[in-house]
Amino acid sequence: MRGLDTRVLLANARIMQLVDMQKAAGLMATVERLAEKDGMTDAANGIHTMPVMFDDELLLASRWCAGQQRHAQGLDKAQWRALCEKLAADANHGCGLSYDYYVSRLSAAVDRAMYDLAEHERADALAIAMEFGYETVNEREQTAIDNANDGYCTHGIEMGCCPAGCDYPDEYVEYDFDPEICHDGQERCVDE
């Protein structure tokens, strides 16, 4: 039944208000996003009648209607660009001047922000995000593989030089042990 999951989450949020107002506020924000997303999804599927589950709840009805309107308007490119600028600045502040780490931080933040977008808004949103250096999950995974193969850490910095303390994995560390095993089962050190 359309809207049932959102209505159940609303009931949970109201019950949570009796126990923990902070958690309840987070749940209510999620309820609002889901109701709006329900409206966008319905509009994308050509459904313009409100779910019966939302009829007697002003909050759900208003957010569903907002989703219908948002679908009709499309992506607010200026607002999305402003968000991407903020996400890029935030990613830059914590990247340690590593471009690969910047891209990873920015792209993860954009992916989270895109969760709230309707499917038909995502192509435009991705095009704008790519202007700031956004990469898809597959591109980021390939960069991580290339970095590992070229001797760079997950931050895109040469192993052993990363300020985060990244170093070679144990399998690349050279040990000072003779491969022969002593008669007592212990490895014998070359220096002995």
Side-chain angles (χ1 to χ4, degrees), residues 34-172:
L34 286 176
E36 187 171 332
K37 196 165 189 125
D38 288 344
M40 288 188 291
T41 301
D42 286 350
N45 292 325
I47 301 170
H48 302 290
T49 56
M50 189 179 313
V52 173
M53 289 287 158
F54 293 4
D55 278 347
D56 62 340
E57 276 297 334
L58 182 59
L59 172 73
L60 297 179
S62 66
R63 298 315 307 158
W64 183 88
C65 289
Q68 290 271 311
Q69 290 172 346
R70 185 168 159 199
H71 181 272
Q73 293 170 346
L75 179 68
D76 182 343
K77 292 181 182 181
Q79 183 180 12
W80 181 255
R81 184 175 304 282
L83 176 62
C84 286
E85 286 174 2
K86 181 190 179 314
L87 296 176
D90 291 347
N92 190 42
H93 287 291
C95 72
L97 299 179
S98 166
Y99 181 72
D100 291 337
Y101 193 45
Y102 161 79
V103 168
S104 176
R105 289 172 50 91
L106 169 69
S107 299
V110 168
D111 287 343
R112 285 189 298 274
M114 284 189 34
Y115 173 79
D116 290 331
L117 298 180
E119 192 65 39
H120 71 284
E121 297 173 324
R122 292 184 182 188
D124 288 338
L126 280 176
I128 292 170
M130 285 180 180
E131 294 173 17
F132 294 90
Y134 174 85
E135 290 183 356
T136 66
V137 172
N138 290 340
E139 290 170 323
R140 285 178 267 161
E141 287 175 354
Q142 186 59 51
T143 297
I145 291 168
D146 292 344
N147 281 344
N149 290 339
D150 293 339
Y152 296 100
C153 72
T154 58
H155 302 106
I157 299 172
E158 188 175 338
M159 285 293 200
C161 297
C162 180
C166 296
D167 208 348
Y168 287 100
D170 288 343
E171 62 208 48
Y172 296 112

Side-chain angles (χ1 to χ4, degrees), residues 5-57:
D5 291 341
T6 306
R7 182 66 183 248
V8 168
L9 191 59
L10 175 64
N12 287 338
R14 290 206 171 128
I15 292 169
M16 184 59 68
Q17 287 175 333
L18 301 172
V19 180
D20 186 339
M21 285 301 287
Q22 197 169 16
K23 284 184 182 178
L27 276 176
M28 288 301 271
T30 301
V31 167
E32 289 181 30
R33 279 196 316 272
L34 286 176
E36 187 171 332
K37 196 165 189 125
D38 288 344
M40 288 188 291
T41 301
D42 286 350
N45 292 325
I47 301 170
H48 302 290
T49 56
M50 189 179 313
V52 173
M53 289 287 158
F54 293 4
D55 278 347
D56 62 340
E57 276 297 334

